[in-house]
Amino acid sequence: MPAILVSEVGPRDGLQSIDPILPLSVKTAWIDALVAAGVREIEVGSFVPAKLLPQLADTAAVVAHALKHSGLTVAVLVPNARGAEAALAAGAHNLTLPLSALETHRLTNLRRTHAQVLEDAAAIATLCKSAAYDVHFEGSVSTAFGCTLEGVVTERKVVELAEALMAAGVDEVGLSDTTGYANPAQVKSVVRAVHAAIGTQHLTGLHLHNTRGLGLANVLAGLDVGITTFDASLAGLGGCPFAPGASGNIVTEDLVFMLEAMGLDTGIDLPRLLDVRKILAAALPDEPLYGFTPDAGLPLGFAVARG
């Protein structure tokens, strides 16, 4: 089993933040190529109303295709219980419900208060427990390290929301640096505080952005405090359309290179992963594609880690 799980979020987080609407055929080809490169978890879409995110209107069809890949964990974002019902009907393996640490972002993003989202979390937990197959339900505390709309987020607030999500019945809590505010010391401090409150087994993943160039530094900080799952987006596509200035997902290719260079097994074939960019370059000719590793190439003698 690879030591670190790199969860690819480009088909959801990346596409929701750009204007072009990719055809289903391109999305499925993208997913196929990611799986062929060894990616084991992909967030393939979001069950939100099509009028809000037309880029993701075909999520059910994307899920249906992704489920054809044995061994792939098919993840989706759900905004509420109705979205969760659709996700379960489609057969998604992992459901993530976002809960913004600050109320302003929550109201801007999903037009729901903390109390309403926690009610949804309890309802979704019940739905997942009664599903005909095993489902993993995560409550993600977004803007956990700061927010462009309100600024500072206190550690105490993040812990409070993590505890509330666990009480509502989620299987796990995730932390998201939605607006790229986090720094390594803060990542360590917040993760340790949440671990102390809900247990290390209930916080294993981080969603980090590279908005201010600290994405990979924050990954290292997460590794130091026991985090084993990191979200990333191929070519750095994405951000958050509901938070001003929330650009800069971690580049999957750079993340995998760093982890493998450190001797940490991701299970991903890096040369094949680099080739996946060709699909995006052809389908999104006007979108910038980021990444130092793709630009520089792999160093001479580079060898991947395999546990």
Side-chain angles (χ1 to χ4, degrees), residues 2 6 8 28-42 69 72 234 252-253 256 260 265-277 279 304-306:
V6 175
E8 173 62 43
T28 56
W30 182 6
I31 289 168
D32 292 346
L34 288 170
V35 173
V39 175
R40 296 175 294 120
E41 179 173 298
I42 305 174
H69 290 286
L72 175 67
L234 194 80
T252 304
E253 303 94 311
V256 172
E260 293 282 346
D265 184 9
T266 65
I268 295 174
D269 184 318
L270 192 47
R272 295 187 75 171
L273 181 69
L274 294 174
D275 282 342
V276 181
R277 291 171 64 95
I279 295 173
V304 300
R306 289 293 176 263

Side-chain angles (χ1 to χ4, degrees), residues 62 65 116 154 169 235 288:
V62 179
H65 178 85
Q116 289 172 318
T154 66

Side-chain angles (χ1 to χ4, degrees), residues 9-10 29 48 86 99 146 169 197 208 213 224 237 270 290 296 299 307:
V9 300
V48 299
L99 172 60
L208 301 167
D224 284 347
L237 284 179
L270 192 47
Y290 301 101

Side-chain angles (χ1 to χ4, degrees), residues 3 12 45 72 82 124 129 170 177 253 297 299:
R12 193 278 300 175
L72 175 67
R82 181 178 296 179
I124 295 169
K129 288 179 174 63
V170 305
D177 185 22
E253 303 94 311

Side-chain angles (χ1 to χ4, degrees), residues 143-146 153-155 158-159 174-178 180-196 203-210 213-230 250:
T143 63
F145 301 93
V153 175
T154 66
E155 196 169 281
V158 176
V159 170
L175 300 181
S176 176
D177 185 22
T178 314
Y181 270 45
N183 64 70
Q186 184 186 21
V187 168
K188 289 184 179 182
S189 181
V190 174
V191 168
R192 284 173 175 148
V194 175
H195 276 167
L203 169 58
T204 63
L206 293 176
H207 179 102
L208 301 167
H209 282 205
N210 196 45
L214 294 180
L216 294 184
N218 289 333
V219 169
L220 290 176
L223 289 170
D224 284 347
V225 289
I227 297 299
T228 56
T229 298
F230 297 93
I250 292 177

